[in-house]
């Protein structure tokens, strides 16, 4: 691994920038995500910053079962993100459709549309679960880097 | 320069200022907004239809998830309608507990709004402050109901959990903390020059317009219209509790802020009374699985305004029709009116000021074939010919170029 690449990976794991996208959620998971960023839980101490545009984001956090109307937008936002990119499905309905499974206008889960790296269940997923999920995702990235290194 | 022409900018559905996916198409002349088209539907999940395919008990949890911020509002409104059809006399203790949860929810929702409003005007300190205090209510809600949001408190004929002595004490303690903080927010809202200057005169909606456009909730009350279902058509335990309907005459975003922070104080008052007078007794009455034939409309004052549910039963265990009219749908027309001839920079705060909840509101419109008379399918050759013609009309002739291309392809 070249030095620049090493630095980039290190920075990415230490300070992942997230983009939140509501794909038809009931709002509860969205406010829990914001709650995770405010003083009580303070995700920012892990270097996580909420960003406004897909071009700046490393992790796409999606909540909601993906409505038909938003499907294309979700795909487009995913395509606009720079590599390497990760998707987190936040909430039961983002994981599997949850309570909305079987509704005529939903796709029942983010992974029906774009690949997902981490699932955080809960209806709504509490800020603690969210922090846990993001931390696990980051650890798994770190481990991947390690195995890559030791593989050489 | 563009100033002789007006242009349109699209905002959303993914936009940093708005947490929900909704699209706005804003027609601008310079900085001035000429008109706004609101494009709903990104959040439409088809809950009303799904409710017809599930049993009444399943529907409570489905309808709770119409909106995660006013979840108790929707589920209470729905069970009230079902109870009316079934003719159930809900125990008074259950009604009191519903009221307590409803007011706790109003507190969490108004604090949440205060933070969002602060964020929209670039006052992020307020966001962090009010969300930190909001956690106090969230803790209480989690302790009583077992979940931070989507409480699952209601069932047909009563509530599912009780409030015990220890919890009562905890709630009272939390209220004292919150009251202190709210006093501070009232001070900030009424004395802080930055807030007053930024918010007054923005998003004006006159009393006449409120009546004409049928705005509800704090949006209406901030324009001096005393409209509150809790007082006008009391449900749950509100008839037995005394409280003031807060109104304000500013008729702008500032007025809406003042109404909301003052309403917080009323909510504390209501909860204190309800806890003090909490009658003993059972939590539920037995509800039949099959609800008799009938229909009912139920009204409820959600944090955002009046929520209306209509339920029609056909005597089976599933409803025949459920219709939900969430408060945002009533207020969204007012937003269009408020934005006209205002500056683009005011848009986020004006939209946020009605405390919009688009997941409650999203509708779907199905276009029938007949409506698309202009649409037709054309094949590639016709499209090619059409495009050449079109460019000719614009004064660009591709005939020569096309010939060269054809020759090259042949050669
Ligand atoms: S998982 Fe539950 S709480 Fe979260 S958005 Fe979906 S329905 Fe709402």
């Amino acid at each position: 691994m070249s030095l620049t690449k090493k630095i980039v990976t290190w920075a990415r794991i230490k300070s992942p920038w997230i983009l939140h996208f509501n794909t038809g959620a009931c709002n509860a998971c969205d406010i829990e995500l914001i709650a995770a960023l405010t003083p009580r839980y303070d995700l920012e101490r892990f270097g996580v910053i909420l960003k406004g545009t897909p071009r700046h984001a490393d992790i796409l956090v999606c909540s909601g079962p993906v409505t038909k109307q938003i499907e294309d937008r979700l795909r487009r936002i995913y395509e606009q993100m720079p590599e390497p990119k990760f998707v987190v499905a936040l909430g039961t309905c983002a994981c599997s459709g949850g309570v909305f499974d079987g509704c005529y206008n939903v796709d029942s889960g983010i992974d029906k549309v774009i690949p997902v790296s981490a699932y955080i269940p809960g209806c709504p997923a509490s800020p603690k679960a969210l922090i846990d999920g993001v931390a696990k995702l980051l650890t798994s990235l770190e481990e991947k880097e390690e195995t890559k290194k030791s593989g050489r | 320069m563009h100033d002789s022409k007006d242009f349109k900018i699209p905002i959303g559905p993914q936009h940093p200022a708005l947490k929900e996916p909704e699209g706005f198409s804003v027609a601008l002349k310079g900085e001035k907004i000429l008109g706004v088209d609101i494009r709903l539907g990104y959040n439409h999940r088809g809950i009303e239809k799904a409710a017809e395919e599930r049993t009444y008990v399943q529907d409570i949890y489905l309808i709770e998830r119409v909106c995660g911020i006013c979840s108790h509002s929707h589920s209470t409104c729905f069970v009230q309608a079902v109870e009316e059809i079934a003719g159930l006399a809900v125990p008074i203790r259950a009604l009191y507990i519903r009221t307590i949860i409803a007011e706790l929810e109003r507190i969490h929702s108004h604090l949440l709004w205060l933070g969002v409003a602060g964020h929209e005007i670039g006052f992020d300190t307020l966001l962090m402050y009010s969300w930190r205090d909001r956690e106090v209510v969230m803790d209480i809600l989690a302790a009583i109901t077992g979940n931070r949001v989507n409480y699952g408190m209601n069932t047909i004929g009563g509530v599912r959990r009780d409030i015990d002595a220890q919890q009562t004490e905890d709630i009272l303690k939390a209220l004292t903390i919150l009251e202190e903080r709210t006093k501070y927010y009232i001070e900030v809202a009424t004395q802080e020059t930055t807030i007053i200057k930024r918010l007054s005169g923005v998003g004006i909606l006159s009393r006449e317009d409120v009546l004409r456009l049928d705005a509800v909730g704090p949006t209406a009350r901030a324009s001096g219209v005393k409209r509150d279902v809790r007082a006008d058509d009391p449900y749950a335990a509100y008839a037995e509790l005394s409280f003031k309907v807060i109104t304000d005459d500013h008729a702008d975003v500032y007025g809406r802020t003042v109404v909301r922070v003052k309403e917080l104080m009323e909510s504390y008052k209501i909860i204190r009374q309800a806890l003090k007078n909490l009658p003993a007794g059972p939590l539920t009455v037995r509800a039949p699985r099959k609800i008799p034939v009938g229909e009912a409309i139920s009204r409820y004052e959600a944090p955002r305004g009046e929520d209306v549910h209509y339920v029609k039963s056909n005597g089976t265990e599933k409803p025949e029709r459920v219709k939900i009219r969430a408060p945002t749908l009533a207020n969204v027309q007012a937003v269009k009116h408020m934005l006209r001839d205002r500056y683009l920079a005011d848009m986020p705060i004006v939209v946020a000021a009605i405390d919009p909840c688009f997941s409650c509101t999203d509708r779907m419109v199905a276009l029938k074939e007949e409506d698309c008379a202009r649409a037709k399918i054309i094949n590639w050759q016709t499209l090619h010919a059409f495009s050449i013609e079109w460019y000719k009309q614009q004064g660009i002739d591709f005939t020569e170029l096309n010939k060269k291309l054809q020759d090259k392809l042949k050669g």
Side-chain angles (χ1 to χ4, degrees):
Chain A
M1 211 172 7
S2 71
L3 185 65
T4 33
K5 218 170 162 199
K6 243 186 215 166
I7 293 174
V8 168
T9 318
W10 170 81
R12 186 167 289 126
I13 292 171
K14 291 297 174 225
S15 163
W17 286 4
I18 61 175
L19 173 75
H20 168 234
F21 189 44
N22 177 331
T23 54
C26 79
N27 261 341
C29 283
D30 315 283
I31 52 171
E32 293 294 69
L33 173 71
I34 311 294
L37 293 163
T38 49
R40 164 76 70 92
Y41 298 102
D42 198 14
L43 253 184
E44 276 183 26
R45 68 201 144 117
F46 299 120
V48 176
I49 295 183
L50 193 61
K51 276 287 161 188
T53 147
R55 311 227 184 253
H56 294 170
D58 304 308
I59 302 179
L60 177 64
V61 180
C62 295
S63 51
V66 191
T67 60
K68 292 268 184 312
Q69 179 102 325
I70 210 96
E71 202 186 302
D72 277 348
R73 303 282 174 158
L74 177 61
R75 234 177 249 132
R76 255 168 65 187
I77 283 176
Y78 182 70
E79 276 158 17
Q80 283 171 11
M81 285 171 62
E83 289 280 358
K85 50 194 167 190
F86 307 96
V87 179
V88 173
L90 178 65
T92 307
C93 71
C95 297
S96 68
V99 61
F100 304 118
D101 194 19
C103 287
Y104 62 81
N105 206 35
V106 305
D107 278 344
S108 299
I110 307 285
D111 54 5
K112 304 278 184 314
V113 184
I114 51 172
V116 174
S117 327
Y119 297 86
I120 305 175
C123 189
S126 77
K128 287 172 202 161
L130 175 65
I131 294 171
D132 185 43
V134 172
K136 277 205 179 113
L137 176 67
L138 295 181
T139 343
S140 82
L141 296 186
E142 222 156 353
E143 272 160 19
K144 246 184 235 159
E145 285 306 320
E146 303 269 288
T147 44
K148 241 197 240 162
K149 254 185 260 165
S150 56
R152 278 185 182 193
Chain B
M1 291 297 281
H2 268 297
D3 51 14
S4 61
K5 254 204 221 150
D6 33 308
F7 51 98
K8 276 197 166 184
I9 56 164
I11 298 179
Q14 194 275 329
H15 190 266
L18 310 158
K19 289 288 161 286
E20 289 180 274
E22 58 270 350
F24 294 90
S25 168
V26 189
L28 285 180
K29 184 169 195 148
E31 281 274 306
K32 272 232 164 85
I33 298 174
L34 294 177
V36 184
D37 257 335
I38 300 178
R39 181 145 189 222
L40 295 174
Y42 291 102
N43 219 331
H44 176 84
R45 291 149 289 172
I47 291 184
E48 287 177 4
K49 185 73 195 159
E52 293 165 19
E53 286 152 18
R54 298 170 195 208
T55 64
Y56 284 99
V57 175
Q58 286 175 320
D59 278 347
I60 301 172
Y61 305 101
L62 176 68
I63 282 173
E64 195 158 47
R65 281 155 183 82
V66 165
C67 167
I69 305 178
C70 36
S71 56
H72 187 72
S73 312
H74 283 290
S75 77
T76 312
C77 200
F78 174 73
V79 295
Q80 277 177 6
V82 178
E83 282 156 3
E84 192 181 321
I85 300 173
L88 297 175
V90 183
I92 309 203
R93 189 176 175 88
L95 292 180
Y96 267 79
I97 293 179
R98 271 185 199 169
T99 311
I100 293 169
I101 304 287
E103 290 307 315
L104 285 172
E105 180 179 78
R106 196 179 314 277
I107 297 169
H108 114 69
S109 175
H110 280 1
L111 283 175
L112 177 147
W113 179 84
L114 191 65
V116 172
H119 175 69
E120 301 297 7
I121 59 172
F123 192 5
D124 269 336
T125 318
L126 186 60
L127 168 75
M128 294 299 172
Y129 265 16
S130 68
W131 280 64
R132 186 194 62 192
D133 296 333
R134 182 175 160 270
E135 286 298 327
V136 178
V137 201
M138 300 310 278
D139 284 346
I140 292 292
L141 281 168
I144 302 174
T145 68
N147 205 0
R148 283 166 55 92
V149 195
N150 295 340
Y151 323 106
M153 247 337 229
N154 285 314
T155 183
I156 294 167
V159 291
R160 293 175 56 226
R161 281 165 188 250
D162 202 359
I163 297 180
D164 61 25
Q166 177 60 42
Q167 283 166 340
T168 311
E169 216 169 277
D170 290 346
I171 298 177
L172 288 175
K173 241 186 249 155
L175 288 187
T176 327
I177 302 174
L178 286 168
E179 208 162 28
E180 263 325 292
R181 298 300 301 164
T182 310
K183 277 192 195 134
Y184 170 70
Y185 292 132
I186 292 180
E187 207 182 295
V188 169
T190 51
Q191 286 170 20
E192 168 76 38
T193 0
T194 333
I195 291 201
I196 299 174
K197 285 235 167 95
R198 180 67 185 87
L199 298 183
S200 39
V202 174
I204 292 180
L205 187 71
S206 67
R207 197 188 145 84
E208 289 69 44
D209 285 330
V210 166
L211 298 175
R212 189 169 58 86
L213 297 166
D214 274 333
V216 293
T219 312
R221 292 199 282 276
S223 301
V225 181
K226 212 169 173 190
R227 190 178 266 178
D228 190 327
V229 188
R230 290 178 293 170
D232 304 341
D233 181 11
Y235 54 90
Y238 286 108
E240 294 160 33
L241 305 167
S242 84
F243 62 97
K244 253 200 343 240
V245 176
I246 306 282
T247 54
D248 194 271
D249 293 325
H250 284 88
D252 52 11
V253 178
Y254 176 64
R256 279 158 227 153
T257 315
V258 173
V259 166
R260 287 203 177 91
V261 287
K262 286 196 179 155
E263 267 181 20
L264 284 172
M265 292 310 258
E266 292 304 307
S267 293
Y268 304 144
K269 220 164 86 190
I270 295 174
I271 297 174
R272 284 223 178 88
Q273 287 174 47
L275 281 176
K276 208 165 119 214
N277 304 335
L278 194 63
L283 290 181
T284 47
V285 286
R286 228 185 120 72
R289 215 152 50 88
K290 290 184 180 166
I291 302 295
V293 183
E295 55 183 350
I297 281 188
S298 142
R299 301 165 75 194
Y300 182 104
E301 184 71 22
R304 289 160 181 71
E306 181 183 347
D307 185 19
V308 183
H309 282 216
Y310 165 80
V311 180
K312 186 174 180 195
S313 152
N314 53 7
T316 60
E317 11 184 284
K318 294 173 184 170
E320 183 167 311
R321 177 81 174 98
V322 176
K323 168 90 193 117
I324 301 167
R325 203 296 317 262
T328 303
L329 192 66
N331 282 336
V332 100
Q333 286 306 321
V335 172
K336 263 177 121 166
H337 183 82
M338 288 183 234
L339 283 173
R340 204 162 297 140
D341 291 332
R342 298 294 319 182
Y343 291 110
L344 182 63
D346 289 343
M347 190 173 160
I349 182 65
V350 170
V351 174
I354 66 158
D355 202 356
C357 175
F358 288 95
S359 68
C360 298
T361 307
D362 265 355
R363 302 290 152 192
M364 192 189 69
V365 177
L367 288 180
K368 291 231 184 80
E369 281 295 302
E370 300 92 273
D371 296 343
C372 314
R374 279 177 54 226
K376 57 181 182 211
I377 297 173
I378 47 178
N379 59 19
W380 167 243
Q381 275 85 11
T382 345
L383 182 68
H384 189 214
F386 176 80
S387 69
I388 293 174
E389 270 312 301
W390 192 83
Y391 274 109
K392 247 185 209 162
Q393 274 167 21
Q394 311 286 317
I396 307 165
D397 199 350
F398 281 125
T399 337
E400 276 306 300
L401 203 70
N402 208 15
K403 227 182 240 155
K404 262 189 210 160
L405 194 77
Q406 295 287 350
D407 289 345
K408 210 175 175 187
L409 279 177
K410 269 182 211 151

